[in-house]
Amino acid sequence: MEKVGVIGGGSLGTAIAQIASQNVDEVYLHLRRKELADIINQTGFNNEYYPNTKLNNNIKAITDFNKLKDCEIIFLSVPSSAFRETLSNLQKFINESVILVSTAKGIEYPSLKTMGNLIEEYFDDDYVSLSGPNFASEMVLNLETVSNIASKNKNNSKKVKEVLTTQQFKLKIIDDVVGLEICGVIKNINAMANGICKGMDINENARYAILTKGFEETQKIVEAIGGNPSTVKEYCGFGDLVLTSTSNESRNHTLGMLYGQRIIVDEDASGIVVEGKKSIKAIKDICKKYNTESIIVDFVYDVVIKHVQPKIAFKRLWEKIEN
Ligand SMILES: NC(=O)C1=CN([C@@H]2O[C@H](COP(=O)(O)OP(=O)(O)OC[C@H]3O[C@@H](n4cnc5c(N)ncnc54)[C@H](O)[C@@H]3O)[C@@H](O)[C@H]2O)C=CC1
Ligand SMILES: O=C(CO)COP(=O)(O)O
């Protein structure tokens, strides 16, 4: 393949560009800021996100969507809150045959639309979604990683797999697009739930009971929304749920810990992307809409949205465990 595009030159977009650049002639990495694009093109470093990692020479930073016209595949690696705006801006610049790949783990509120639903609104339904236990900081270093991809169009999944597969980065194709996307959203809420418990210094037995419950409830929610509950056993389900619920590298887990310690930060002002916080109201509404109870979603909603004291919220959560 000759050219692929990546929109969003942040942690994940830069890592995706670095992986794809091993298999294609040219990767266009689209950024908003010209200063950063110039630095990448002049030095080969995205010094804001990866100051110590040299990017491959065939990665070209761009700020103009026009350059994406000849790309066969475009990865959308902006946060979910920027997804609609990005699709709308992109509409007049790309050809019909392009394969769009969503890598965001979020959901639109209050529409409750997945990123795939948004792509359908502006383009068509043969997009590909990618999700897995994938810290971008490891991917950019070519460390061993597996991700799931799903699409209604198997050929498109195969093409995306071809473009990203390296000796270290593996991809497994599955059929369940909505299940894959929802797993990526709910794991962020579980990462926050476990972070809150860790921040409160809740004992390990209890924390892993909560993680087990989170796994079970993810299956229920995925099924309710029309996905396949067995998707939750995949890399995008179990793998990502456990990774981000237990690692301090996860921003969602870290924000949860701060809430557990009653340190309230203005993460919007920090500019750090915490998808879980943005998804709580949406998942709460989804549970209500599909008549599905989730004690983990309620716990995070209580602490983060309603500002219930973590101790009181935990007591309520524990009362509901296996009752
Ligand atoms: N960082 C990670 O390890 C992983 C992130 N993801 C997902 O990828 C998505 C992006 O996350 P990160 O790359 O980590 O975030 P980031 O903050 O590192 O990068 C986001 C990029 O999007 C750009 N952006 C923000 N708002 C924009 C807008 N309105 N229009 C155009 N560009 C905009 C930012 O300038 C930045 O370059 C999230 O949904 C996240 O859940 C998924 C897997 C791993
Ligand atoms: O999704 C991720 C890893 O799979 C990244 O998690 P955080 O957004 O919590 O950092």
Side-chain angles (χ1 to χ4, degrees), residues 148-167:
N148 285 120
I149 43 176
S151 174
K152 283 187 182 156
N153 183 327
K154 261 261 165 67
N155 268 336
N156 285 355
S157 287
K158 283 184 187 156
K159 284 185 188 160
V160 172
K161 179 171 170 150
E162 214 177 279
V163 155
L164 288 181
T165 298
T166 66
Q167 240 180 338

Side-chain angles (χ1 to χ4, degrees), residues 113-127:
K113 288 188 173 186
T114 61
M115 298 303 104
N117 295 150
L118 295 183
I119 297 178
E120 275 167 22
E121 225 185 89
Y122 290 88
F123 297 93
D124 47 32
D125 67 354
D126 62 1
Y127 59 90

Side-chain angles (χ1 to χ4, degrees), residues 105 132-136 184 187-188 191 240 243-244 249-254 273-275:
K105 292 174 177 169
N134 301 160
F135 283 136
K187 72 86 189 171
N188 284 333
D240 208 7
L243 176 81
T244 43
E249 181 77 19
S250 158
R251 295 162 294 192
N252 289 286
H253 180 76
T254 303
V273 171
V274 187
E275 289 281 19

Side-chain angles (χ1 to χ4, degrees), residues 9-12 32 49 78-79 82 85 103-105 134 136 251 273 275:
S11 323
L12 188 64
R32 283 179 301 178
Y49 292 89
V78 294
E85 184 193 339
T103 66
K105 292 174 177 169
N134 301 160
R251 295 162 294 192
V273 171
E275 289 281 19

